[in-house]
Amino acid sequence: MTSSPQQLDMIDLATAGELAAQLRVDSIRSSTSAGSGHPTSSMSAADLMAVLIGRHLRYDWDHPGNDDNDHLIFSKGHASPLLYSMYRAVGVVSEEELMTGYRRQGSRLQGHPTPVLPWVDVATGSLGQGLPDGVGVALAGKYLDRLPYRVWVLCGDSEMAEGSIWEALDKASYYGLSNLIAIVDVNRLGQRGPTELQWDLRAYARRAEAFGARVLTIDGHNLAEIDEALAVAADASGTQPTVVLARTVKGRGFSEVENQEGWHGKPLPADMADRAIAELGGERSLLIRGPLPDPVARTEPATLRSEARTSVPMPSYSPGEKIATRKAYGEALTALGAARPEVVALDGEVSNSTYADQFAKAYPGRYFEMFIAEQQLVAAAVGLGVRHYVPFASTFAAFFTRAYDFIRMAPISQANIRLVGSHGGVEIGADGPSQMALEDLAMMRAVQGSTVLYPSDATSTAALVHAMADRPGVVYMRTTRGAYPVLYDAEEAFPVGGAKLLRSSPADAVTLIGAGVTVHECLTAADLLARDGINVRVVDLYSVKPVDTETLRAAATTTRGRLVVAEDHHPEGGIGSAVAEALSEGNTTATGATGAPGATGATGTLRISHLAVRDLPGSGTTEELLATAGIDARHIEAAARDLLDDR
């Protein structure tokens, strides 16, 4: 077929049928050309997407940043051949790019969609991600932007087994997100065979309705039914999210693979691809734009977002005053919110412990409670970031482990989110090990491009909250349960990537390195050593990633390589690892047990005593647990003396 004129309004259903055939053909062609991909998963949803983009998706393809545009998220990211074929159909991806770029090195048409493409909001491919992210976008639309865009999410039936999908529907119902529409491609077959519910649409409907959704059940290959359902779903005047359950056939359009097991994630061989294209009526070159968004009349700014940066009066604390860093976080975030209307906060139903409740009380319209749903907590932050808000999401540090898949996907989504975990380490005391984050620093350090902060007092916490607001990527702060003395004056600066010398002199014999609670233990240990005339250097490593390599190397040089690292964390991947990695760049280091012998490098012979939580802790007081773990002042003092005895 020849190209049809560009259309800026709804196409008729006959044209939608031709478009669906084109999408199937191009899904086959691109994946066969690449030698990999998921054509059959794409073919099942082609009718759904043809009707959507041709008749219901309000989108200005030439201006993807238009605030009035609808949003389209492929939660079933493996159907990328379909998505990229749609981009070709609307004229933003060329035939050449589709056929020579898909899944190739250096191409923006990656195996699963990412925001390297301006029409993609979030990275998907790890199933169960797109709908939760869509909740965050829809929250912004309804409560912050107050714009009538809709958020359309294509889901696969396999991912309906993911708990994150049901967290998303639950929160979408709670917040009345009638601007959120999930289209579920129920094609019966997963990767290794039939899905859990196969074509039991009644079971899917019961579940979705139980979570508060409005459910529409259709034949996913009947264009008229699709059109009617999407028209109903597009009406966002109600108070429920909509789930469109579409019964489809995997591999639809090519009889040799329709509803056949064993074809998931497999491109068609060239000869089969030729037969499939012929059966589908051959190649097409339709150019379809679909409806544009309606310009929204604005009598006032439609968004809370602002490029203006007014000065932020951070809370001020007096040295010696005992303040928990988690409390300082809440106070600093509330102060930040006064000057930055784009700052929003979320919490996982522990806001009276994380002190996010202070922000909630001050700015209830910019606070979103996610209850005990940590996956949705992080996903909503990602979605809010799509609309350029500055989200801070907080919960107990230990519970971010539940959301780690969303955290690791955030950099792929180019998301800028701020995560704050309180109650880290054995310091929390009697609650016991189920509540003690002892792996969070390692977990967050491993995230691509992440920033990891662990302040020791209220002043540094407030300064770092301010810095987090404009820090790109995944930024994590660990806060402490107990109240500890303020160490710094209000005017002190805390650049990300820095460290502080709390004690130092040219005569220092040992360096004590801590972060958070162990900084205070290091200071007490320094006092104990000073009684015997032993000068020690104390480093507050408040920026765990990036780490202050220059300060660490200078300390190692001055103290002849004698370092004690104390951390309220497992030995793997935390502060000790950050120190060892920093010193290993251009140096030979040794780490391990107390008094481990080292090797000679640019900083001299390095002997690092690494104190960490090595055994399973239990309940007890803070003092008892720090001592039992071997990270209190007495153990730090003893480790320093052991290093000096080795000289």
Side-chain angles (χ1 to χ4, degrees):
M1 285 191 173
T2 59
S3 297
S4 63
Q6 176 173 306
Q7 300 183 45
L8 299 179
D9 207 340
M10 286 197 292
I11 61 175
D12 58 37
L13 290 182
T15 306
E18 285 297 312
L19 176 59
Q22 175 175 306
L23 297 178
R24 290 187 171 97
V25 167
D26 285 353
S27 295
I28 293 167
R29 293 170 64 222
S30 58
S31 54
T32 295
S33 174
S36 67
H38 296 73
T40 58
S41 298
S42 300
M43 293 160 76
S44 62
D47 294 311
L48 297 166
M49 293 299 100
V51 175
L52 177 64
I53 64 170
R55 293 177 61 82
H56 299 281
L57 183 75
R58 300 186 303 222
Y59 201 93
D60 184 348
W61 293 100
D62 294 326
H63 300 94
N66 185 339
D67 274 347
D68 296 326
N69 283 339
D70 282 355
H71 290 259
L72 173 59
I73 298 173
F74 262 48
S75 196
K76 56 175 291 182
H78 56 284
S80 58
L82 173 60
L83 182 63
Y84 302 154
S85 296
M86 292 162 60
Y87 292 162
R88 179 194 170 228
V90 299
V92 295
V93 165
S94 68
E95 159 114 3
E96 180 181 5
E97 183 178 11
L98 181 63
M99 295 304 298
T100 64
Y102 180 53
R103 286 186 169 234
R104 268 70 158 199
Q105 172 71 30
S107 171
R108 61 180 184 167
L109 304 185
Q110 298 176 14
H112 294 77
T114 73
V116 69
L117 292 160
W119 315 280
V120 173
D121 289 325
V122 292
T124 55
S126 179
L127 291 177
Q129 297 257 342
L131 188 59
D133 289 348
V135 168
V137 180
L139 283 170
K142 179 167 183 175
Y143 293 99
L144 303 176
D145 292 330
R146 296 188 177 95
L147 291 173
Y149 59 77
R150 290 81 56 89
V151 183
W152 305 85
V153 182
L154 177 64
C155 298
D157 51 354
S158 287
E159 69 181 324
M160 300 303 283
E162 287 278 8
S164 58
I165 292 290
W166 304 102
E167 286 187 16
L169 287 177
D170 179 59
K171 300 306 171 289
S173 175
Y174 177 79
Y175 281 105
L177 299 182
S178 57
N179 56 345
L180 179 68
I181 305 106
I183 304 171
V184 186
D185 177 20
V186 186
N187 65 23
R188 192 186 74 85
L189 293 174
Q191 178 170 325
R192 61 97 193 98
T195 58
E196 180 183 4
L197 297 179
Q198 300 192 48
W199 277 322
D200 190 350
L201 267 62
R202 290 185 178 179
Y204 281 118
R206 288 194 300 270
R207 295 181 182 190
E209 288 170 347
F211 279 88
R214 172 178 63 169
V215 176
L216 306 173
T217 301
I218 62 171
D219 176 348
H221 301 306
N222 184 312
L223 300 181
E225 285 191 30
I226 296 170
D227 186 55
E228 181 179 357
L230 297 187
V232 172
D235 179 3
S237 60
T239 60
Q240 293 176 284
T242 299
V243 174
V244 178
L245 296 171
R247 187 186 191 278
T248 63
V249 176
K250 200 163 187 173
R252 172 76 170 193
F254 182 35
S255 56
E256 293 183 38
V257 299
E258 282 187 352
N259 197 31
Q260 296 298 309
E261 296 184 25
W263 282 102
H264 182 90
K266 294 181 181 179
L268 301 183
D271 59 331
M272 289 185 69
D274 289 340
R275 294 196 299 273
I277 293 168
E279 188 173 331
L280 287 163
E283 297 179 15
R284 295 161 173 81
S285 297
L286 291 170
L287 181 61
I288 303 294
R289 279 300 174 100
L292 289 168
D294 296 325
V296 177
R298 296 177 174 89
T299 57
E300 59 183 30
T303 174
L304 294 171
R305 288 177 273 131
S306 170
E307 294 303 318
R309 293 290 182 265
T310 60
S311 61
V312 180
M314 284 287 114
S316 179
Y317 305 97
S318 301
E321 181 183 6
K322 287 190 174 183
I323 303 288
T325 58
R326 61 187 172 117
K327 185 173 187 289
Y329 161 69
E331 293 171 346
L333 183 64
T334 304
L336 185 68
R340 300 282 293 271
E342 70 276 23
V343 169
V344 297
L346 311 92
D347 196 86
E349 216 252 277
V350 289
S351 61
N352 59 338
S353 288
T354 63
Y355 283 90
D357 61 349
Q358 296 192 17
F359 186 97
K361 292 170 185 175
Y363 315 108
R366 290 152 56 191
Y367 173 81
F368 300 100
E369 178 59 67
M370 292 294 114
F371 301 96
I372 305 297
E374 288 83 8
Q375 294 180 100
Q376 186 55 62
L377 173 71
V378 175
V382 171
L384 288 161
V386 167
R387 296 296 301 183
H388 307 292
Y389 290 97
V390 178
F392 282 77
S394 54
T395 185
F396 287 7
F399 303 151
F400 275 122
T401 57
R402 293 177 174 176
Y404 193 59
D405 191 29
F406 286 82
I407 296 168
R408 75 165 187 92
M409 286 288 290
I412 307 174
S413 289
Q414 301 177 15
N416 299 317
I417 59 174
R418 296 93 191 150
L419 307 177
V420 179
S422 69
H423 294 65
V426 301
E427 184 271 345
I428 71 169
D431 279 347
S434 69
Q435 311 295 295
M436 297 171 179
L438 290 166
E439 56 287 300
D440 58 316
L441 299 179
M443 180 175 81
M444 298 299 185
R445 286 183 68 235
V447 173
Q448 193 273 327
S450 64
T451 297
V452 180
L453 308 170
Y454 188 13
S456 62
D457 81 336
T459 298
S460 55
T461 300
L464 291 170
V465 168
H466 187 212
M468 290 172 76
D470 294 313
R471 185 79 179 172
V474 175
V475 187
Y476 175 67
M477 175 186 283
R478 187 198 233 201
T479 62
T480 303
R481 181 181 190 177
Y484 293 87
V486 173
L487 302 174
Y488 302 102
D489 292 328
E491 297 76 21
E492 194 79 25
F494 293 87
V496 173
K500 290 292 181 183
L501 294 180
L502 284 162
R503 304 278 178 87
S504 67
S505 77
D508 291 338
V510 182
T511 297
L512 310 181
I513 302 170
V517 63
T518 58
V519 168
H520 299 275
E521 298 298 321
C522 286
L523 288 170
T524 301
D527 291 339
L528 295 173
L529 292 163
R531 294 174 183 174
D532 291 337
I534 301 172
N535 293 323
V536 298
R537 182 162 299 199
V538 177
V539 177
D540 177 357
L541 205 69
Y542 66 82
S543 181
V544 181
K545 180 187 177 184
V547 72
D548 189 344
T549 300
E550 182 178 348
T551 293
L552 291 174
R553 287 183 175 177
T557 299
T558 299
T559 59
R560 299 183 180 182
R562 292 186 286 266
L563 308 175
V564 178
V565 181
E567 60 180 311
D568 193 359
H569 188 273
H570 288 317
E572 298 85 4
I575 298 166
S577 296
V579 170
E581 290 166 17
L583 295 176
S584 68
E585 296 176 6
N587 299 277
T588 305
T589 68
T591 63
T594 299
T600 301
T603 57
T605 301
L606 292 173
R607 286 165 292 179
I608 302 177
S609 180
H610 184 193
L611 309 183
V613 183
R614 298 178 183 274
D615 298 321
L616 181 66
S619 293
T621 66
T622 296
E623 294 74 18
E624 290 169 338
L625 293 173
L626 291 174
T628 300
I631 58 174
D632 66 344
R634 288 292 184 182
H635 284 86
I636 295 169
E637 176 199 10
R641 292 184 185 277
D642 286 345
L643 289 178
L644 290 170
D645 288 344
D646 286 344
R647 61 187 167 181

